Amino acid sequence: RCLDKRPYILISQFLSRAPRSVCYGANGAEFVLKAIDNPEASKGEIFLVCDDDHPTNGQWIKIIANSLGHDLEVIEVPDELAAASRPLAKEDITKLNAYMMSNAKAQRLLGYTDPVPAIDAIAETARWLAKHPPNHELMKTMLQDPFEYETEDMIVEAYRKGDLKSAREIKWKTQPGYGYFYYGNNLNPADSRTQDEKHSGEYDPTKVRRIKQSSKL
């Protein structure tokens, strides 16, 4: 949406304010090096590998937009109007739980600290992806994001007028999904498939999906 110069992005209010615990590649390598350099402290221990800081999803969006030189408004809406943020949620928005990991144990035992601050890591990743964009059709398949801006605009217009009834009644031409990596047990809105269906059979790379085995085989 930044590359398309969209003025705003729609996101569930809960999702926008939920922290995201991840680990930048260089920071992950630092964990390994610290464990190797401190064998007595790391021996037999389990460590959570994550960055020191955990920006919320809304903050991620702002960091990415700023890194790409784009002014993007984050519009927080009720879950029922937030279908556009399903690909970001990767699961049913109405059943989201916020959680945050901690690397405090690695800091205490190994002296770990991020060599690359989370804000810099997010910005650098965004700039790299902007310069090396993935195949657009593959990206749409994996994200299950129709980029249906006309529908988003209609929802925002009704929401800003306080007309929630009209906003709820707006239909998507193509339903946004939770991404091809959806882990939930319910049907994914974009492809109407469950996890059992998605992971049965042999993987066919030409179709980017698993093909069901015949019950006769």
Side-chain angles (χ1 to χ4, degrees), residues 95-210:
K95 299 177 182 178
L96 286 176
N97 291 308
Y99 69 90
M100 187 168 64
M101 296 192 297
S102 170
N103 63 20
K105 182 178 178 181
Q107 292 184 26
R108 185 177 70 255
L109 296 183
L110 307 178
Y112 174 84
T113 187
D114 286 346
V116 182
I119 292 177
D120 295 340
I122 295 168
E124 179 60 28
T125 302
R127 286 191 291 266
W128 190 92
L129 286 171
K131 291 179 180 178
H132 308 85
N135 176 275
H136 185 68
E137 288 306 313
L138 178 61
M139 183 172 64
K140 285 180 65 175
T141 300
M142 299 304 289
L143 292 178
Q144 296 181 339
D145 187 337
F147 300 102
E148 203 170 294
Y149 296 148
E150 181 181 354
T151 302
E152 292 181 15
D153 290 341
M154 290 190 293
I155 292 172
V156 169
E157 182 179 5
Y159 179 70
R160 283 178 163 166
K161 290 179 179 178
D163 189 354
L164 296 183
K165 181 176 182 297
S166 295
R168 294 188 192 101
E169 293 173 349
I170 294 170
K171 304 297 183 184
W172 291 82
K173 296 175 184 176
T174 301
Q175 278 285 336
Y178 300 119
Y180 196 76
F181 25 74
Y182 171 54
Y183 294 114
N185 296 319
N186 298 322
L187 290 176
N188 192 336
D191 55 23
S192 298
R193 299 168 67 204
T194 64
Q195 281 294 88
D196 288 341
E197 293 172 331
K198 181 175 170 182
H199 295 291
S200 64
E202 187 174 344
Y203 181 74
D204 184 342
T206 64
K207 294 183 172 61
V208 199
R209 64 189 298 177
R210 291 185 180 274

Side-chain angles (χ1 to χ4, degrees), residues 21 31 33 35 37 39 44 47 67 80-81 86 104 111 118 126 151 158 166 176 182 188-189 203:
S21 294
F31 273 97
L33 293 174
D37 291 341
F47 298 95
S67 72
E80 59 187 328
L81 303 180
R86 285 174 185 161
T151 302
S166 295
Y182 171 54
N188 192 336
Y203 181 74

Side-chain angles (χ1 to χ4, degrees), residues 23-109:
C23 186
Y24 185 56
N27 295 343
E30 181 72 3
F31 273 97
V32 175
L33 293 174
K34 286 291 186 182
I36 293 173
D37 291 341
N38 297 275
E40 291 304 315
S42 62
K43 182 171 60 178
E45 299 290 347
I46 296 174
F47 298 95
L48 290 177
V49 177
C50 59
D51 294 335
D52 290 340
D53 298 319
H54 311 271
T56 66
N57 287 294
Q59 290 170 332
W60 268 70
I61 292 171
K62 283 296 188 182
I63 294 167
I64 291 169
N66 289 339
S67 72
L68 299 178
H70 183 58
D71 185 16
L72 186 73
E73 179 186 2
V74 177
I75 300 180
E76 297 180 344
V77 296
D79 292 346
E80 59 187 328
L81 303 180
S85 62
R86 285 174 185 161
L88 177 62
K90 301 193 290 292
E91 57 183 304
D92 189 339
I93 294 172
T94 63
K95 299 177 182 178
L96 286 176
N97 291 308
Y99 69 90
M100 187 168 64
M101 296 192 297
S102 170
N103 63 20
K105 182 178 178 181
Q107 292 184 26
R108 185 177 70 255
L109 296 183

Side-chain angles (χ1 to χ4, degrees), residues 1-12:
R1 284 164 174 75
C2 291
L3 297 180
D4 288 341
K5 304 300 181 185
R6 290 288 291 164
Y8 49 72
I9 184 170
L10 275 175
I11 185 171
S12 150

